[in-house]
Amino acid sequence: MNVFKFGGASVKNAAGIINVSKIIQKFKSGPLVVVVSATGKTTNALEEVINEKFTDKKKSIQLLRVIQNKHIEIAKDLFDTIPEELLSQIQEHIVEGEWIIEEEREMQYDYVYDQIICIGELISSRILTHYLNSQNISTEFVDARSMIETDDTWREGRIQWSNTNEKINSHCNPILNAGKIVLTQGFIGSTSENNTVSLGREGSDYTAAIISAAMDAKSMIIWKDVPGVLTGDPKVFENVTKLDHLTFMEAIEMTYYGAKVIHPKTIQPLKNKNIPLHVRSFLDPESDGTLIFGEIEREYPPIVVLESNQALVHFSSKDLSFIAEDHLARLFDLFDKLRIKVNVMRNTAISFTVCIQNDKSKIHLLTETVHEQFAVIVEPNLDLYTIRHCNDSMLPKLLEEKIIIMEERIRKTVQVVVKSAPGIIHKRVEA
Ligand code: ADP
Ligand code: ASP
Ligand code: MG
């Protein structure tokens, strides 16, 4: 069997959904599980609904209705008459959202987030299931929450592997054996108590990898709006080229450093089961894309990753004691508790510096917690460039008109934290 994953960009409107159905029809070879994300920017719109629940419930419900209407418009463009069953399914998901919004009892933000954010994936997968069946592509909807079991780390559920593997197989196999496609949602799972949990923004790729690994898929294909994995984000850099082949290792490194084309957790389950991952274009489905597979390293051109909205946080010990292992242990314990990912770090005798996402509330908490022991200085609004397989001649052009604040180099990986002069956008990459 194979697994296809379609992201938000591929199903953003009726034309997108029609294109997806053509791709499934044309490229399906044998049993298939399809994983789909919320349409277009629906997840961002749902984040606004969630924020308003805590400030203005009426507005929150209005925003949710706008989302409902957008999906009904898509359905109108797909069907001569929208199937009654689809309309009531959409209605049901919206009503469940409204209940949470109207709930008076105090609830934790992250918990509420997960109970509402799932609506995007649930509705898009309902529409796609109905559309595929209307095209005689026999398809069965499976609620991913009955397969993907996580702990209760809201917004970043950790997979309970053994139960998840078992549930995926017991749900999917009978459907596949009956000759039907399984259609499910990315990004969402559920605790053993049946509370919805999301897997982290952009997490649909990860769901597809979990399913591929559980079912020993022959291959997984993620269909994107780019020709494959490129030497940099084409929305940011010029002159990028497609990489035809990447090893699992290189793909893990790239995505770890923030290459947004694949969710960073996607590669590991595939590598463990040696399942090839293809990244292909839904705009040009005949073309080859990128194959991620194997271990034999080869020569790569420079690959550039930009992470914007970074902050440097400098800690120095107030009593001028050396920054030693016990200080570092305390700080890392805190990073772990606050779920802060350290992108670059460096220490001197009495100071320690990390480059992290510029999340004001987390940085505030961090500073408050350690202020008795450390003096803390925060430098916000920075950019982090990571260049894999860096050749030094490209750096001056890439970093032109930028003020370099910190630079780290390990073998052929260079990381540079910079401040941009106002009005300067990113320079071209010569790969
Ligand atoms: P999905 O529709 O699956 O959610 P995303 O929008 O998350 O897809 O990912 C595709 C986008 O990733 C591209 O449009 C591109 O802007 C961005 N991207 C970032 N880095 C790269 C890269 N190295 N190669 C290709 N695309 C990249
Ligand atoms: N819809 C979710 C998001 O936008 C998950 C995904 O698209 O992968 O983050
Ligand atoms: Mg995405």
Side-chain angles (χ1 to χ4, degrees):
M1 57 81 66
N2 294 293
V3 175
F4 285 2
K5 182 258 167 174
F6 293 96
S10 67
V11 290
K12 66 172 191 243
N13 53 26
I17 292 173
I18 293 168
N19 183 47
V20 163
S21 108
K22 288 186 179 146
I23 290 176
I24 292 174
Q25 202 143 32
K26 182 139 197 213
F27 295 94
K28 174 183 182 308
S29 59
L32 178 67
V33 175
V34 174
V35 174
V36 70
S37 304
T39 60
K41 302 276 175 223
T42 299
T43 305
N44 293 357
L46 283 164
E47 285 188 342
E48 282 177 40
V49 170
I50 295 156
N51 291 337
E52 288 299 341
K53 177 211 159 26
F54 292 90
T55 46
D56 183 348
K57 286 189 181 176
K58 222 169 121 198
K59 173 99 183 284
S60 175
I61 287 182
Q62 270 168 11
L63 292 174
L64 191 59
R65 295 266 162 80
V66 172
I67 294 173
Q68 177 178 21
N69 290 336
K70 271 197 181 153
H71 286 90
I72 291 175
E73 287 305 314
I74 293 178
K76 268 191 194 152
D77 292 340
L78 287 172
F79 302 99
D80 294 334
T81 333
I82 307 177
E84 275 303 320
E85 192 191 22
L86 174 58
L87 273 178
S88 63
Q89 285 162 344
I90 296 176
Q91 177 71 13
E92 229 169 82
H93 295 307
I94 295 290
V95 166
E96 275 169 23
E98 286 177 356
W99 283 341
I100 307 275
I101 295 168
E102 272 160 2
E103 176 70 62
E104 290 295 340
R105 106 188 121 93
E106 210 167 293
M107 287 185 284
Q108 214 189 325
Y109 180 92
D110 288 354
Y111 167 81
V112 169
Y113 182 100
D114 281 353
Q115 311 318 303
I116 294 180
I117 208 75
C118 58
I119 294 172
E121 267 68 14
L122 289 166
I123 295 183
S124 70
S125 55
R126 293 286 188 194
I127 296 176
L128 185 57
T129 304
H130 278 273
Y131 185 69
L132 290 175
N133 281 312
S134 78
Q135 300 304 298
N136 296 323
I137 306 174
S138 181
T139 305
E140 195 162 323
F141 174 97
V142 178
D143 190 324
R145 296 171 297 180
S146 59
M147 301 195 284
I148 309 289
E149 186 178 320
T150 71
D151 67 0
D152 61 359
T153 312
W154 313 117
R155 301 181 66 178
E156 216 175 316
R158 288 176 227 226
I159 306 300
Q160 308 299 297
W161 288 100
S162 124
N163 285 356
T164 297
N165 287 340
E166 198 192 302
K167 290 184 193 174
I168 288 172
N169 279 287
S170 66
H171 276 85
C172 294
N173 283 329
I175 300 171
L176 298 177
N177 290 339
K180 293 190 204 168
I181 290 177
V182 172
L183 195 137
T184 192
Q185 312 77 42
F187 180 53
I188 59 172
S190 154
T191 63
S192 54
E193 268 96 54
N194 292 328
N195 287 306
T196 304
V197 181
S198 66
L199 307 180
R201 286 301 307 263
E202 303 298 329
S204 294
D205 297 340
Y206 184 36
T207 305
I210 296 165
I211 294 175
S212 300
M215 301 195 73
D216 284 310
K218 200 164 83 198
S219 76
M220 166 171 154
I221 304 182
I222 47 182
W223 299 90
K224 299 263 169 184
D225 61 354
V226 280
V229 179
L230 309 170
T231 51
D233 185 343
K235 292 190 184 115
V236 179
F237 300 107
E238 290 174 32
N239 287 5
V240 290
T241 52
K242 180 171 79 80
L243 298 152
D244 295 332
H245 184 270
L246 285 172
T247 58
F248 286 121
M249 194 70 117
E250 187 57 37
I252 286 183
E253 292 285 348
M254 266 184 88
T255 53
Y256 169 81
Y257 287 120
K260 302 276 182 293
V261 61
I262 307 170
H263 188 278
K265 289 183 179 169
T266 309
I267 310 293
Q268 195 211 22
L270 299 175
K271 180 183 183 302
N272 289 347
K273 289 287 187 86
N274 218 22
I275 298 168
L277 168 62
H278 300 265
V279 180
R280 289 172 62 173
S281 166
F282 63 77
L283 301 169
D284 181 12
E286 301 287 344
S287 67
D288 276 344
T290 300
L291 168 64
I292 298 169
F293 188 64
E295 294 186 358
I296 301 164
E297 285 302 342
R298 48 188 76 204
E299 282 290 309
Y300 293 105
I303 299 171
V304 186
V305 180
L306 168 66
E307 283 255 62
S308 299
N309 196 26
Q310 301 289 296
L312 275 183
V313 185
H314 309 275
F315 303 88
S316 46
S317 55
K318 282 190 168 167
D319 59 0
L320 292 192
S321 62
F322 289 141
I323 294 280
E325 285 68 16
D326 57 340
H327 293 106
L328 294 177
R330 171 150 192 247
L331 288 173
F332 275 95
D333 188 41
L334 248 179
F335 297 154
D336 183 39
K337 284 205 180 92
L338 297 173
R339 289 194 251 155
I340 290 175
K341 177 174 174 268
V342 175
N343 294 328
V344 196
M345 62 184 146
R346 177 185 284 175
N347 67 313
T348 69
I350 58 157
S351 81
F352 179 59
T353 299
V354 288
C355 176
I356 60 179
Q357 188 71 30
N358 185 23
D359 179 327
K360 288 196 188 95
S361 65
K362 282 189 184 179
I363 292 176
H364 178 73
L365 261 171
L366 180 66
T367 316
E368 286 295 298
T369 317
V370 301
H371 80 277
E372 278 178 16
Q373 195 176 6
F374 299 102
V376 183
I377 298 171
V378 180
E379 269 182 274
N381 307 328
L382 303 174
D383 290 327
L384 167 63
Y385 286 82
T386 302
I387 307 110
R388 303 263 308 149
H389 314 285
C390 186
N391 80 45
D392 284 353
S393 62
M394 69 181 289
L395 283 180
K397 184 102 184 126
L398 184 68
L399 302 175
E400 202 174 58
E401 296 179 71
K402 297 192 169 59
I403 304 151
I404 298 179
I405 315 272
M406 180 170 161
E407 191 172 341
E408 285 288 332
R409 187 180 288 258
I410 306 168
R411 300 177 66 201
K412 286 190 110 182
T413 301
V414 176
Q415 291 195 285
V416 195
V417 180
V418 301
K419 197 178 211 136
S420 292
I424 295 298
I425 30 178
H426 310 289
K427 289 283 140 181
R428 58 173 48 200
V429 188
E430 301 294 349

